[in-house]
């Protein structure tokens, strides 16, 4: 089932993701939900402390929501978010990493259609990656972290960043698989364009992720696809890239997995479950949980 929704608030989006996961489990089907955010919102990973947002001053004006999944904070603005909901007994739901890689390979293919040198990171590329319950040494923002399955674009370091970043392991792309490989050259660097996280329950698996289309004024340190393609002016909200993602990527995923896309037959339910979830994700008690209380 495919559900594409317009821009919604943070609490709505988080409640809708969990509602779709429950619906998928109850009906034994798969739901792919695509959506955007209004207004621009900072989402915290489940294990992050609310107080950690003070480390990122430019996003302070944004409303905040806490995700049910882990990982770093995301500024949802010039991007698309997807949520893939599967019953726990579905074969693809059994293997956490396989699900990441399968979805991300199709996302990398979509990015490469637009001319980005997109690669999917493997374990050997990340000797010092952040874990699922990161320490304070990990960057606050998701798109400043690197973990297995992330999609990055390979860019010329000097042209793209100048002297702003310290040296890092460069990556070169295997043109056959699109996977990342270490390179001896220090002339290239990486820009993260896609990151995902999962919430796994007894009945369902919810995987949601962010595809960074363009740089946000609330997180100006993070370039997106638009900037990787060489544009200096901010991307317009009506740019064709936004529409192309919603139109072109779902069939790419369906083809790889052998699925038949059908539009979701109803809107996200305004039922008792949705109302309960919406109340949770809207509450200060949930959003402002401390690090110790989220473990």
């Amino acid at each position: 089932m495919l559900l594409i929704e317009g821009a919604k608030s943070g609490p709505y989006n988080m409640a809708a993701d969990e509602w779709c996961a429950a619906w998928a489990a109850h009906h034994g089907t798969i739901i792919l939900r695509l959506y955007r955010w209004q207004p621009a919102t900072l989402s915290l990973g489940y294990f992050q402390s609310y107080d950690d947002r003070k480390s990122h001053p430019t996003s302070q004006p944004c409303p905040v929501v806490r995700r049910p999944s882990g990982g770093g904070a995301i500024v949802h603005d010039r991007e698309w978010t997807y949520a893939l909901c599967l019953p726990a007994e579905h074969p693809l739901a059994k293997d956490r990493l396989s699900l990441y890689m399968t979805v991300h390979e199709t996302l990398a293919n979509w990015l490469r259609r637009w001319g980005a040198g997109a690669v999917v990171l493997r374990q050997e590329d990340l000797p010092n990656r952040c874990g699922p319950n990161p320490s304070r040494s990990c960057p606050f923002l998701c798109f400043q972290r690197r973990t297995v399955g992330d999609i990055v674009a390979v860019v010329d370091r000097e042209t793209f960043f100048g002297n702003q970043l310290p040296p890092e392991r460069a990556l070169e792309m295997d043109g056959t698989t699109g996977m990342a490989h270490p390179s001896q050259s220090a002339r290239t660097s990486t820009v993260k364009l896609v990151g995902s996280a999962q919430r796994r329950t007894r009945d369902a698996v919810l995987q949601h992720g962010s595809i960074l289309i363009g740089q946000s004024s609330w997180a100006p340190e993070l370039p997106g696809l638009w900037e990787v393609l060489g544009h200096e002016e901010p991307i317009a909200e009506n740019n064709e890239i936004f529409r192309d993602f919603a139109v072109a990527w779902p069939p790419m995923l369906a083809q790889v997995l052998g699925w038949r896309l059908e539009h979701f037959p109803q809107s996200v339910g305004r039922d008792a479950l949705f109302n309960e979830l919406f109340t949770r994700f809207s509450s200060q008690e949930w959003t402002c949980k401390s690090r110790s209380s989220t473990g």
Side-chain angles (χ1 to χ4, degrees):
M1 298 291 185
L2 175 63
L3 173 61
I4 302 177
E5 294 198 297
K8 304 286 187 178
S9 71
Y12 176 96
N13 281 328
M14 295 298 91
D17 280 357
E18 291 228 341
W19 185 91
C20 286
W23 199 95
H26 181 74
H27 293 272
T29 191
I30 299 167
I31 300 177
L32 175 64
R33 177 174 176 254
L34 304 182
Y35 57 94
R36 298 191 63 199
W37 302 62
Q38 184 62 244
T41 301
L42 178 76
S43 73
L44 297 172
Y46 181 81
F47 294 102
Q48 289 186 292
S49 170
Y50 181 85
D51 288 341
D52 286 350
R53 75 167 308 209
K54 296 175 184 176
S55 67
H56 193 249
T58 56
S59 65
Q60 290 295 310
C62 297
V64 185
V65 69
R66 183 179 298 279
R67 302 191 305 271
S69 58
I74 298 176
V75 176
H76 301 275
D77 187 12
R78 301 290 198 265
E79 53 98 68
W80 273 101
T81 303
Y82 79 88
L84 181 62
C85 307
L86 305 92
E89 67 271 13
H90 190 280
L92 195 58
K94 306 289 185 182
D95 189 326
R96 170 185 169 277
L97 186 57
S98 177
L99 181 57
Y100 277 132
M101 291 299 194
T102 301
V103 174
H104 279 207
E105 281 292 346
T106 64
L107 288 167
N109 286 336
W110 178 80
L111 290 165
R112 287 193 284 268
R113 287 177 64 247
W114 280 93
V119 298
V120 183
L121 295 179
R122 300 183 303 182
Q123 179 66 59
E124 54 265 37
D125 302 312
L126 300 161
N128 299 309
R129 73 185 182 92
C130 294
N133 189 354
S135 68
R136 290 187 181 273
S137 63
C138 288
F140 173 68
L141 294 175
C142 167
F143 280 83
Q144 291 181 325
R145 302 181 181 189
R146 299 291 187 272
T147 191
V148 175
D150 283 346
I151 301 176
V152 299
V154 180
V155 298
D156 180 88
R157 171 179 288 275
E158 184 174 354
T159 301
F160 202 83
F161 291 110
N163 297 319
Q164 297 180 29
L165 293 180
E168 66 170 333
R169 295 177 70 206
L171 300 173
E172 59 186 12
M173 187 167 69
D174 178 326
T176 302
T177 64
M179 302 299 284
H181 294 276
S183 168
Q184 297 302 314
S185 171
R187 291 179 299 180
T188 56
S189 187
T190 62
V191 174
K192 183 172 173 178
L193 295 178
V194 179
S196 296
Q198 289 179 5
R199 172 175 169 79
R200 307 179 74 89
T201 67
R202 181 182 62 184
D203 300 319
V205 172
L206 162 63
Q207 177 172 306
H208 52 193
S210 175
I211 299 88
L212 190 55
I213 304 296
Q215 187 179 56
S216 170
S217 59
W218 309 115
E221 67 272 51
L222 300 177
L225 171 62
W226 183 248
E227 289 73 32
V228 165
L229 296 180
H231 300 283
E232 295 183 0
E233 74 282 4
I235 189 171
E237 281 290 346
N238 62 350
N239 189 280
E240 63 175 323
I241 294 180
F242 289 108
R243 180 180 181 276
D244 183 75
F245 177 77
V247 171
W249 176 62
M252 295 172 69
L253 180 64
Q255 181 178 12
V256 167
L257 296 175
W259 295 345
R260 186 180 74 251
L261 284 178
E262 297 178 355
H263 285 287
F264 194 67
Q266 61 190 73
S267 298
V268 173
R270 291 288 183 168
D271 55 15
L273 174 59
F274 180 87
N275 292 335
E276 177 186 336
L277 293 167
F278 184 82
T279 298
R280 180 211 299 171
F281 288 110
S282 300
S283 71
Q284 287 295 103
E285 181 182 5
W286 168 265
T287 304
C288 298
K289 284 184 177 187
S290 67
R291 185 182 302 274
S292 60
S293 65
T294 54

